[in-house]
Amino acid sequence: MVSAGGQTVRTVLGDVAPGDLGVCDAHDHLFLTSPQLPGQELDSVDSAAAELAAFRAAGGRSVVQWTPHGMGRRAAELPGLARTSGIRIVAATGLHQAVHYAPEALTGLRAEGLEAVFVRELTRGIGDSGVRAGLIKVAGGFHGLDAHARWTMTAAAGAHRATGAPIAVHLELGTGALDVLDLLCGELEVPPGKVILGHLNRDPDFEVHREAASAGAWLAFDGPSRAHHTTDWRMPDAVRALAEAGHGDRLLLGGDTTTAAARSVNGGPGMPHLLRRVRPRLVRAVGEELVDRMVTANAGRAFAVAWAG
């Protein structure tokens, strides 16, 4: 089934109508490995299955995994996890900051052609898994864009033009949103409605938030379960300010669990925290209707594509 505009969300079990996502965690990780996470990698299939079960018990129905190329996505495991849990899963292609990769891995991607890698994973599948990605994940730097970010975003823009896929952006500590939009939507001419800006809760600059929303980008408030992010308590205020400015239809909510210790099955807040604790607090700030829209209709629209491949 597809939407009236012919758009679908590409999940690991196939394309579905945007409205079929249900309650969606718009940014999280079932698997994630990096030299920056020694001893805390998300690499257990059993733990991923248990976390999905806990999320479903809390009312969740879909998860968008932003884990990009070369960071332990375990794409072949995702269809089985989706079937067993009853949770729709969307996988990602893309590339994170250079610090997450060995230099030789990046050299190989340059030789192969990064845009071609993204397009292949969106249209044919990740490796030999047969699982097609449903979004492109890239990353900016702290208050700016280095050469690596410009390379990955240029490749992402090309892959978007070839497929229609949305581009989700890790903003380092929530900064650099306007620089990203200048590059992706200005220089590279990606429609703002196909850009999802992540981690805006980490830099509660309401003026930047309003400018990004006014441009037409999606704003993801994700990762609100990390105690060391001292700005997280400002998230309800940021969401309220955007809603009052008329931008409630541009907002998304995600958990962004990135370490094994943060999983609920290991004693951390994990994915269920988004619905058990964060959602009620946001409801008190902006009302149930808007929060329901953020985790259902908005998510469906943000990740829906009239796929060209």
Side-chain angles (χ1 to χ4, degrees), residues 110-161:
R110 287 187 182 277
E112 186 175 358
L114 194 59
E115 179 182 328
V117 172
F118 294 168
V119 171
R120 182 179 70 244
E121 294 192 339
L122 289 159
T123 60
R124 292 166 49 194
I126 298 169
D128 59 1
S129 69
V131 171
R132 295 185 295 177
L135 72 150
I136 309 163
K137 189 265 186 70
V138 293
F142 184 59
H143 285 291
L145 302 175
D146 60 11
H148 176 87
R150 289 181 174 274
W151 171 52
T152 58
M153 291 185 190
T154 299
H160 160 76
R161 284 190 289 271

Coordinates of all heavy atoms in Angstrom, one line a residue, residues 110-161:
R110 N 36.5 6.1 -1.3 CA 36.8 7.1 -2.3 C 37.1 6.5 -3.7 O 36.6 7.0 -4.7 CB 38.0 7.9 -1.9 CG 37.7 8.9 -0.7 CD 38.9 9.8 -0.5 NE 38.7 10.7 0.7 CZ 38.0 11.8 0.6 NH1 37.6 12.2 -0.6 NH2 37.8 12.6 1.7
A111 N 37.8 5.3 -3.6 CA 38.1 4.7 -4.9 C 36.8 4.1 -5.5 O 36.6 4.2 -6.8 CB 39.1 3.5 -4.6
E112 N 35.9 3.6 -4.7 CA 34.7 3.0 -5.2 C 33.7 4.0 -5.7 O 32.9 3.8 -6.6 CB 34.0 2.1 -4.2 CG 32.8 1.3 -4.7 CD 32.3 0.4 -3.6 OE1 32.9 0.3 -2.5 OE2 31.3 -0.3 -3.9
G113 N 33.7 5.2 -5.0 CA 32.7 6.2 -5.3 C 31.6 6.2 -4.3 O 30.8 5.3 -4.3
L114 N 31.6 7.2 -3.4 CA 30.7 7.2 -2.2 C 29.2 7.3 -2.6 O 28.4 6.6 -2.1 CB 31.1 8.3 -1.3 CG 30.4 8.2 0.1 CD1 30.8 6.9 0.8 CD2 30.9 9.4 1.0
E115 N 29.0 8.1 -3.6 CA 27.6 8.2 -4.1 C 27.1 6.9 -4.6 O 25.9 6.5 -4.3 CB 27.5 9.3 -5.1 CG 26.1 9.5 -5.7 CD 26.0 10.5 -6.8 OE1 26.8 11.5 -6.8 OE2 25.1 10.3 -7.7
A116 N 27.9 6.2 -5.3 CA 27.5 4.9 -5.9 C 27.2 3.9 -4.8 O 26.3 3.1 -4.9 CB 28.6 4.4 -6.8
V117 N 28.0 3.9 -3.7 CA 27.8 3.0 -2.6 C 26.4 3.3 -2.0 O 25.6 2.4 -1.7 CB 28.9 3.2 -1.5 CG1 28.5 2.4 -0.2 CG2 30.2 2.7 -2.0
F118 N 26.1 4.6 -1.8 CA 24.8 5.0 -1.2 C 23.7 4.5 -2.1 O 22.7 4.0 -1.6 CB 24.7 6.5 -1.0 CG 25.7 7.1 0.0 CD1 25.9 8.4 0.1 CD2 26.4 6.2 0.9 CE1 26.8 9.0 1.1 CE2 27.3 6.8 1.8 CZ 27.5 8.2 1.9
V119 N 23.8 4.8 -3.3 CA 22.7 4.4 -4.3 C 22.5 2.9 -4.3 O 21.3 2.4 -4.3 CB 23.0 5.0 -5.7 CG1 22.0 4.4 -6.7 CG2 22.9 6.5 -5.7
R120 N 23.6 2.2 -4.3 CA 23.4 0.7 -4.3 C 22.7 0.2 -3.1 O 21.9 -0.7 -3.1 CB 24.8 0.1 -4.4 CG 24.8 -1.5 -4.5 CD 26.1 -2.1 -4.6 NE 26.9 -1.9 -3.4 CZ 28.0 -1.2 -3.2 NH1 28.5 -0.6 -4.3 NH2 28.7 -1.2 -2.1
E121 N 23.1 0.8 -1.9 CA 22.5 0.3 -0.7 C 21.0 0.7 -0.5 O 20.2 0.0 0.1 CB 23.3 0.8 0.5 CG 24.7 0.2 0.6 CD 25.4 0.4 1.8 OE1 25.1 1.3 2.6 OE2 26.4 -0.4 2.1
L122 N 20.6 1.8 -1.2 CA 19.2 2.2 -1.2 C 18.4 1.4 -2.2 O 17.2 1.2 -1.9 CB 19.2 3.7 -1.5 CG 19.7 4.7 -0.5 CD1 20.0 6.0 -1.1 CD2 18.7 4.9 0.6
T123 N 19.0 1.0 -3.3 CA 18.2 0.4 -4.3 C 18.3 -1.1 -4.5 O 17.4 -1.8 -4.8 CB 18.5 1.1 -5.7 OG1 19.9 0.9 -6.0 CG2 18.2 2.5 -5.6
R124 N 19.5 -1.6 -4.2 CA 19.8 -3.0 -4.4 C 20.0 -3.8 -3.1 O 19.6 -5.0 -3.0 CB 21.1 -3.2 -5.2 CG 20.9 -2.8 -6.7 CD 22.2 -2.7 -7.4 NE 23.1 -3.8 -7.3 CZ 24.4 -3.8 -7.6 NH1 24.9 -2.8 -8.1 NH2 25.1 -4.9 -7.5
G125 N 20.5 -3.1 -2.1 CA 20.7 -3.7 -0.8 C 22.1 -3.5 -0.2 O 23.0 -3.2 -0.9
I126 N 22.1 -3.7 1.1 CA 23.4 -3.5 1.9 C 24.1 -4.9 1.9 O 23.7 -5.9 2.4 CB 23.0 -3.2 3.4 CG1 22.3 -1.8 3.4 CG2 24.3 -3.1 4.2 CD1 21.7 -1.5 4.7
G127 N 25.3 -4.8 1.2 CA 26.1 -6.0 1.1 C 25.3 -7.1 0.3 O 24.7 -6.8 -0.7
D128 N 25.3 -8.3 0.8 CA 24.5 -9.4 0.2 C 23.3 -9.7 1.0 O 22.7 -10.8 0.9 CB 25.4 -10.6 0.0 CG 26.0 -11.2 1.3 OD1 25.7 -10.6 2.4 OD2 26.7 -12.2 1.2
S129 N 22.9 -8.8 1.9 CA 21.8 -9.0 2.8 C 20.4 -9.0 2.1 O 19.4 -9.5 2.6 CB 21.8 -8.0 4.0 OG 21.5 -6.7 3.5
G130 N 20.4 -8.2 1.0 CA 19.1 -8.0 0.3 C 18.3 -6.9 1.0 O 17.2 -6.6 0.5
V131 N 18.7 -6.4 2.1 CA 18.0 -5.3 2.8 C 18.4 -4.0 2.2 O 19.5 -3.6 2.2 CB 18.4 -5.3 4.3 CG1 17.9 -4.1 5.1 CG2 17.9 -6.6 5.0
R132 N 17.3 -3.2 1.8 CA 17.6 -1.9 1.2 C 17.4 -0.8 2.3 O 16.6 -0.9 3.2 CB 16.6 -1.6 0.1 CG 16.7 -2.5 -1.1 CD 15.8 -2.2 -2.2 NE 14.4 -2.4 -1.9 CZ 13.4 -2.0 -2.7 NH1 13.7 -1.5 -3.9 NH2 12.2 -2.3 -2.4
A133 N 18.3 0.1 2.3 CA 18.3 1.3 3.2 C 17.1 2.2 2.8 O 16.7 2.2 1.7 CB 19.6 2.0 3.2
G134 N 16.6 2.9 3.9 CA 15.5 3.8 3.6 C 15.9 5.3 3.9 O 15.0 6.1 3.8
L135 N 17.1 5.5 4.2 CA 17.6 6.9 4.4 C 19.1 6.9 4.3 O 19.8 5.9 4.3 CB 17.2 7.5 5.8 CG 17.9 6.9 7.0 CD1 18.0 8.0 8.1 CD2 17.2 5.7 7.5
I136 N 19.6 8.2 4.2 CA 21.1 8.4 4.1 C 21.4 9.2 5.3 O 20.9 10.3 5.6 CB 21.5 9.2 2.9 CG1 20.9 8.6 1.6 CG2 23.0 9.4 2.7 CD1 20.8 9.6 0.4
K137 N 22.4 8.7 6.1 CA 22.8 9.4 7.4 C 24.2 9.9 7.1 O 25.2 9.2 6.7 CB 22.8 8.4 8.5 CG 23.1 9.1 9.9 CD 24.5 9.0 10.3 CE 24.7 9.5 11.7 NZ 24.2 8.7 12.8
V138 N 24.4 11.2 7.4 CA 25.7 11.9 7.3 C 25.9 12.7 8.6 O 25.0 12.7 9.5 CB 25.8 12.8 6.1 CG1 25.8 12.0 4.8 CG2 24.7 13.8 6.0
A139 N 27.0 13.4 8.7 CA 27.3 14.1 10.0 C 28.1 15.4 9.7 O 29.0 15.4 8.8 CB 28.2 13.2 10.9
G140 N 27.8 16.4 10.5 CA 28.5 17.6 10.5 C 29.5 17.6 11.6 O 29.7 16.6 12.3
G141 N 30.2 18.7 11.8 CA 31.2 18.9 12.8 C 30.7 19.9 13.8 O 29.6 20.4 13.8
F142 N 31.5 20.2 14.8 CA 31.2 21.2 15.9 C 31.2 22.6 15.3 O 32.3 23.1 15.0 CB 32.1 21.0 17.1 CG 31.8 21.9 18.2 CD1 30.5 21.7 18.8 CD2 32.7 22.8 18.7 CE1 30.2 22.5 19.9 CE2 32.4 23.6 19.8 CZ 31.1 23.4 20.4
H143 N 30.0 23.2 15.1 CA 29.9 24.5 14.6 C 30.6 24.7 13.2 O 31.1 25.8 12.9 CB 30.5 25.5 15.6 CG 29.6 25.8 16.8 ND1 28.4 26.4 16.7 CD2 29.8 25.5 18.1 CE1 27.9 26.5 18.0 NE2 28.7 25.9 18.8
G144 N 30.5 23.7 12.4 CA 31.1 23.8 11.1 C 31.2 22.5 10.3 O 30.8 21.5 10.8
L145 N 31.7 22.6 9.1 CA 31.7 21.4 8.2 C 33.2 21.3 7.7 O 33.7 22.2 7.0 CB 30.8 21.6 7.0 CG 29.3 21.8 7.4 CD1 28.5 22.0 6.1 CD2 28.8 20.5 8.1
D146 N 33.8 20.2 8.0 CA 35.2 19.9 7.4 C 35.1 19.3 6.1 O 34.0 19.1 5.5 CB 36.0 19.1 8.4 CG 35.4 17.7 8.7 OD1 34.4 17.3 7.9 OD2 35.9 17.0 9.6
A147 N 36.2 19.0 5.5 CA 36.3 18.4 4.1 C 35.6 17.1 4.1 O 34.9 16.7 3.1 CB 37.7 18.3 3.7
H148 N 35.7 16.3 5.1 CA 35.0 15.0 5.2 C 33.5 15.1 5.1 O 32.8 14.4 4.4 CB 35.4 14.2 6.4 CG 34.7 12.9 6.6 ND1 35.2 11.7 6.1 CD2 33.6 12.6 7.3 CE1 34.4 10.7 6.4 NE2 33.4 11.2 7.1
A149 N 33.0 16.1 5.9 CA 31.6 16.3 5.9 C 31.1 16.8 4.6 O 30.0 16.4 4.1 CB 31.2 17.3 7.0
R150 N 31.8 17.7 3.9 CA 31.4 18.1 2.6 C 31.5 17.0 1.6 O 30.6 16.9 0.7 CB 32.4 19.3 2.2 CG 32.1 20.6 3.0 CD 33.0 21.7 2.5 NE 32.6 22.9 3.3 CZ 31.6 23.7 2.9 NH1 31.0 23.5 1.7 NH2 31.3 24.8 3.6
W151 N 32.4 16.1 1.7 CA 32.5 15.0 0.8 C 31.3 14.1 1.0 O 30.6 13.7 0.0 CB 33.8 14.2 1.0 CG 33.9 12.9 0.4 CD1 33.8 12.6 -1.0 CD2 34.2 11.6 1.0 NE1 34.0 11.3 -1.2 CE2 34.3 10.7 0.0 CE3 34.5 11.3 2.3 CZ2 34.6 9.3 0.2 CZ3 34.8 9.9 2.6 CH2 34.8 9.0 1.5
T152 N 31.0 13.7 2.2 CA 29.9 12.8 2.4 C 28.5 13.5 2.1 O 27.6 12.8 1.5 CB 29.8 12.4 3.9 OG1 29.7 13.5 4.8 CG2 31.1 11.6 4.3
M153 N 28.4 14.8 2.4 CA 27.1 15.4 2.1 C 26.9 15.6 0.6 O 25.8 15.5 0.1 CB 27.0 16.7 2.8 CG 26.8 16.5 4.3 SD 26.6 18.1 5.2 CE 26.7 17.5 6.9
T154 N 28.0 15.8 -0.1 CA 27.9 15.9 -1.6 C 27.5 14.6 -2.2 O 26.6 14.5 -3.1 CB 29.2 16.4 -2.2 OG1 29.6 17.7 -1.7 CG2 29.2 16.5 -3.7
A155 N 28.0 13.5 -1.7 CA 27.6 12.2 -2.1 C 26.2 11.9 -1.8 O 25.4 11.3 -2.5 CB 28.5 11.1 -1.5
A156 N 25.8 12.3 -0.6 CA 24.4 12.1 -0.1 C 23.4 12.9 -1.0 O 22.3 12.3 -1.4 CB 24.2 12.5 1.3
A157 N 23.8 14.1 -1.4 CA 22.9 14.9 -2.3 C 22.7 14.2 -3.6 O 21.6 14.1 -4.2 CB 23.5 16.3 -2.5
G158 N 23.8 13.6 -4.2 CA 23.7 12.9 -5.4 C 22.9 11.7 -5.3 O 22.1 11.4 -6.2
A159 N 23.0 10.9 -4.2 CA 22.2 9.7 -4.0 C 20.7 10.1 -3.8 O 19.8 9.4 -4.2 CB 22.7 9.0 -2.8
H160 N 20.5 11.2 -3.1 CA 19.1 11.7 -3.0 C 18.5 12.0 -4.4 O 17.4 11.6 -4.7 CB 19.0 13.0 -2.1 CG 17.8 13.7 -2.4 ND1 16.6 13.3 -1.8 CD2 17.5 14.8 -3.1 CE1 15.6 14.2 -2.3 NE2 16.2 15.1 -3.0
R161 N 19.3 12.7 -5.2 CA 18.7 13.0 -6.6 C 18.4 11.7 -7.3 O 17.5 11.7 -8.1 CB 19.7 13.9 -7.3 CG 19.7 15.3 -6.8 CD 20.5 16.2 -7.8 NE 21.9 16.0 -7.7 CZ 22.7 16.6 -6.8 NH1 22.3 17.4 -5.9 NH2 24.0 16.3 -6.8

